Amino acid sequence: MTATEPWMIDELAHAGPEHLDPAFVAGFDRKQGHPDPAPDIEALRRHGVGRDATVVDLGAGTGRFALAAAREFTRVVAVDVSPAMLDHLRARAGREGAANPECVRAGFLTYEHTGPPADAVHTRHALHQLPDFFKALALDRIARTLRPGGVLRLRDLVFDFRPHEAGEVLEAWMAGAAGDPALGYTRRDYAEHLRTEYSTFRWLLEPMLETAGFEIVEAEYEGRLFGAYTCVRRPLTGGATPKEAG
């Protein structure tokens, strides 16, 4: 799980120490609000991802999407940099008697896809752990993992406002923070995210997606802070196949 170039970042270090803590991981879904994977699976189906598909979940976390997707698609690969997250995912699959996704310890910049190109890639609230330069590299690698016409479903904390609006929008966001850190993200959590993680502006992310070779076919925003994108991969240029470029 190591990057081959000396200028590459260590994604494990950027994931945040809490994601390596089994106690934090055990309460992760409660803190996240138990997000429903059904809309993301439906978005994939809406854009031609069928039952026999290969789906890669990058930043799979505790496996809410990966385990649901494993019931819907033939091959699901759950990728995460955190051993604690993958251990939790495997244990949860065992408890639920779910079809087991393939678990791979890797990140956006180190995952090496095997087999035919993927039909879809899903990622939720993970890309923000990379600075923008590395986000662009990650999106390019995702495009080269997918077949032509393959689908990227991306959810993340993305800023749909201009810099001069930051104070007003972020204060409104923080005003709705949880009081109990066990039940949700607190004002302190939000502030730490802004200082130490790498959420980007919508007007920077969308050109990155397009430059990587994606057509944005759906973009929905909640509260000017949370973006949900469905993107379709255009044919690659430069003669590289997805497997060659992986």
Side-chain angles (χ1 to χ4, degrees):
M1 205 203 80
T2 58
T4 58
E5 299 292 344
W7 48 265
M8 295 289 277
I9 62 172
D10 180 351
E11 290 184 82
L12 187 63
H14 278 71
E18 69 276 10
H19 294 93
L20 309 181
D21 177 4
F24 175 87
V25 170
F28 183 75
D29 288 335
R30 182 173 63 250
K31 198 172 180 76
Q32 287 272 305
H34 301 278
D36 182 3
D40 298 317
I41 291 173
E42 174 55 29
L44 299 185
R45 291 202 176 281
R46 194 161 57 243
H47 292 281
V49 181
R51 179 164 289 277
D52 62 348
T54 293
V55 178
V56 178
D57 187 15
L58 287 169
T62 59
R64 288 189 67 83
F65 174 85
L67 292 174
R71 294 190 288 268
E72 302 290 334
F73 305 112
T74 297
R75 182 187 180 200
V76 175
V77 185
V79 182
D80 205 282
V81 296
S82 166
M85 287 290 189
L86 292 176
D87 287 345
H88 185 95
L89 194 161
R90 293 186 188 99
R92 181 175 177 179
R95 289 194 304 272
E96 296 180 5
N100 287 333
E102 300 170 34
C103 292
V104 177
R105 187 181 167 215
F108 290 100
L109 304 173
T110 52
Y111 172 64
E112 297 290 343
H113 188 67
T114 60
D119 299 286
V121 170
H122 167 271
T123 184
R124 181 187 178 100
H125 293 188
L127 191 63
H128 66 250
Q129 292 166 354
L130 298 178
D132 280 1
F133 172 77
F134 291 103
K135 281 190 188 76
L137 298 187
L139 291 170
D140 182 79
R141 295 186 89 252
I142 290 170
R144 293 171 186 275
T145 296
L146 287 163
R147 61 169 172 80
V151 180
L152 167 63
R153 179 67 172 175
L154 165 65
R155 287 185 182 268
D156 216 318
L157 181 61
V158 182
F159 302 137
D160 189 19
F161 54 81
R162 293 290 169 177
H164 72 273
E165 300 176 286
E168 176 185 355
V169 175
L170 295 175
E171 180 55 38
W173 178 45
M174 291 186 177
D180 183 346
L183 300 178
Y185 288 99
T186 65
R187 188 181 185 95
R188 181 176 178 179
D189 290 330
Y190 289 164
E192 183 176 8
H193 174 96
L194 293 167
R195 289 194 310 270
T196 65
E197 300 190 38
Y198 302 97
S199 289
T200 196
F201 286 104
R202 177 177 186 170
W203 42 269
L204 293 173
L205 178 65
E206 291 183 359
M208 287 187 216
L209 286 163
E210 291 162 0
T211 299
F214 288 105
E215 176 187 357
I216 300 169
V217 294
E218 296 175 350
E220 301 172 289
Y221 271 78
E222 178 185 343
R224 305 180 72 186
L225 290 161
F226 295 96
Y229 286 88
T230 308
C231 307
V232 174
R233 205 216 81 177
R234 298 189 298 268
L236 287 170
T237 59
T241 67
K243 189 170 183 180
E244 289 168 346

